[in-house]
Amino acid sequence: MAIQRTLCIIKPDAVEKGKVGAILQRVQEEGFRLRALRQVHLSRRQAEGFYAVHRGRPFFEDLCEFMSRGPVVTAALEREEAVQRWREVIGATDPAKADSGTIRKLYGANVGENAVHGSDSEANGRLECAYFFAEMDLA
Ligand code: ADP
Ligand code: MG
């Protein structure tokens, strides 16, 4: 089993609902190490940059509007098989389809406002952590 990094973003809806503490507690209970942590209010352009792979999708404009409407909390998480494990903890993209006990089932409102982000591959885990954190922060 390989040690991996994945990016967690606590999205604006979950920050607005006061769920930052509960989600970070869950991160630690699930055995992830917090390698770096920060709060940031993304500009529209920064949100578009992060989600560039989705440009052109019907939900892209709404997604970038949502992700830049208030602060997010980003965390670089590390543990064995971090990418797949974090995806399991957060649940399906649509909270209505997410397994019970997952973060999106607990705190997500709908397929757009779904409380948290998780990277989808080991390569993207490294790239997304580097989008938000300097190498010095992650060392
Ligand atoms: P995930 O975050 O589970 O990896 P995607 O990468 O497919 O999901 O989509 C990125 C984000 O875009 C989702 O987390 C969600 O906030 C939003 N999104 C995805 N699909 C839809 C949709 N059909 N309608 C509205 N928003 C969506
Ligand atoms: Mg994705």
Side-chain angles (χ1 to χ4, degrees):
M1 293 223 284
I3 300 291
Q4 297 177 339
R5 275 184 197 162
T6 190
L7 183 74
C8 160
I9 304 178
I10 304 175
K11 296 185 178 184
D13 59 328
V15 175
E16 288 159 10
K17 290 174 185 162
K19 299 302 178 188
V20 173
I23 293 169
L24 291 178
Q25 180 168 354
R26 182 70 178 272
V27 161
Q28 296 191 298
E29 285 170 356
E30 298 283 354
F32 295 90
R33 290 179 291 280
L34 275 171
R35 292 305 302 263
L37 177 68
R38 71 187 287 216
Q39 176 170 294
V40 58
H41 190 154
L42 295 175
S43 67
R44 175 70 184 234
R45 183 164 296 210
Q46 287 169 326
E48 289 173 2
F50 181 74
Y51 281 117
V53 65
H54 292 305
R55 190 179 287 279
R57 304 277 284 277
F59 58 83
F60 182 73
E61 298 300 324
D62 285 349
L63 173 62
C64 294
E65 186 69 30
F66 161 55
M67 288 299 289
S68 59
R69 84 174 180 211
V72 299
V73 173
T74 65
L77 308 185
E78 194 174 87
R79 61 158 283 169
E80 286 180 349
E81 307 298 333
V83 171
Q84 188 197 327
R85 189 70 196 102
W86 182 240
R87 298 284 310 192
E88 288 166 7
V89 172
I90 70 178
T93 307
D94 184 350
K97 296 177 185 152
D99 289 341
S100 67
T102 60
I103 293 174
R104 283 169 164 171
K105 176 64 100 185
L106 286 167
Y107 307 127
N110 55 58
V111 69
E113 301 200 8
N114 57 6
V116 277
H117 169 82
S119 307
D120 65 3
S121 68
E122 182 171 18
N124 282 338
R126 272 184 266 113
L127 284 170
E128 291 176 2
C129 288
Y131 192 80
F132 285 100
F133 299 105
E135 194 52 47
M136 211 176 113
D137 300 320
L138 294 164

